[in-house]
Amino acid sequence: MIYTIMSQIENQHYVRDVLLWLALVYTSIVAGCFYLYRTNPTALFTRLKFKGAIHPPSDTSSTIILLVTIMFCLLIGPLDRMIFQCSASPGAMLKLLGLLMIPIGSTLNFRTLVENQFAAPTVHFQEGAGHTLISTGPYKLVRHPMYLGSLVLILGSMIWLGSYLSIFAGALCALAAYSYRIKVEENFLRNVLPNYSVYVKSVSRKLIPGIF
């Protein structure tokens, strides 16, 4: 009886956490889109396009892998918390850090889009738009700052919604998926942007400043 009551209370608290997470994510997205529309509307419209003239086959596979991985990361935490209960959930301070990581990651994403109007969801050369290398703003720190922002947002979500085991497993999967996606993009960019190899030498980190 006591266990049932405690479980119901825990479930109610978790539903509250999920609703807060949804509100924060969607508020960040709406605010970011509004800011992007006001500052660089071309980047917003480019981000909504899914076709390109030069389109490597590996782009499709890496996109699918990345999307499946993101879904896995967002689902494994709630499943462990509510059903499997294989490990404990993070403490209050760590959860608060995770919650703060969500708007930080979203802000980095939209800051990257403001800087790079060629940041399309697919890997292709935008010849008609005068596609050039972007090496300013967040691109001075890492070569793929938007993936860094997404990774921060996902990790923050897993910390807020998940358990220690789900955070560890999800982080490894996310890092592997983003690494593969980056490899596909960079192989393509080296062929279509003559100065990309020089940029790789000047900015040595792909995803995480000072580490990777």
Side-chain angles (χ1 to χ4, degrees), residues 26-169:
Y26 282 104
T27 299
S28 299
I29 292 174
V30 171
C33 287
F34 179 76
Y35 174 72
L36 187 59
Y37 179 77
R38 295 293 300 271
T39 56
N40 192 349
T42 301
L44 179 60
F45 298 140
T46 299
R47 193 64 190 169
L48 298 176
K49 295 179 181 178
F50 289 87
K51 293 183 179 180
I54 305 176
H55 188 73
S58 56
D59 175 54
T60 301
S61 61
S62 64
T63 300
I64 293 174
I65 291 173
L66 186 58
L67 291 176
V68 170
T69 301
I70 291 173
M71 291 179 61
F72 169 77
C73 290
L74 295 178
L75 289 176
I76 186 175
L79 287 175
D80 190 25
R81 285 278 300 274
M82 301 295 291
I83 300 176
F84 302 114
Q85 299 181 354
C86 295
S87 64
S89 60
M93 293 303 296
L94 185 57
K95 285 188 63 176
L96 179 60
L97 174 63
L99 193 66
L100 293 175
M101 289 170 66
I102 295 172
I104 291 174
S106 181
T107 299
L108 179 57
N109 281 345
F110 284 103
R111 176 65 184 86
T112 301
L113 288 173
V114 169
E115 196 71 30
N116 183 8
Q117 66 183 31
F118 307 111
T122 58
V123 178
H124 66 275
F125 182 63
Q126 302 169 47
E127 186 174 3
H131 197 163
T132 57
L133 175 66
I134 304 297
S135 58
T136 56
Y139 288 92
K140 293 179 180 180
L141 299 176
V142 291
R143 300 199 296 271
H144 300 272
M146 190 165 184
Y147 290 154
L148 172 59
S150 299
L151 185 61
V152 170
L153 193 156
I154 292 169
L155 287 175
S157 298
M158 289 191 295
I159 293 172
W160 177 251
L161 297 175
S163 61
Y164 286 112
L165 180 61
S166 65
I167 294 168
F168 178 75

Side-chain angles (χ1 to χ4, degrees), residues 148-207:
L148 172 59
S150 299
L151 185 61
V152 170
L153 193 156
I154 292 169
L155 287 175
S157 298
M158 289 191 295
I159 293 172
W160 177 251
L161 297 175
S163 61
Y164 286 112
L165 180 61
S166 65
I167 294 168
F168 178 75
L172 289 179
C173 292
L175 189 59
Y178 277 112
S179 297
Y180 176 59
R181 176 66 176 176
I182 288 172
K183 181 180 179 181
V184 170
E185 285 194 11
E186 295 202 331
N187 288 340
F188 179 81
L189 292 173
R190 283 189 175 93
N191 293 327
V192 299
L193 296 177
N195 52 347
Y196 192 78
S197 295
V198 177
Y199 171 65
V200 169
K201 293 180 180 179
S202 63
V203 181
S204 60
R205 304 307 180 186
K206 303 176 183 178
L207 185 62

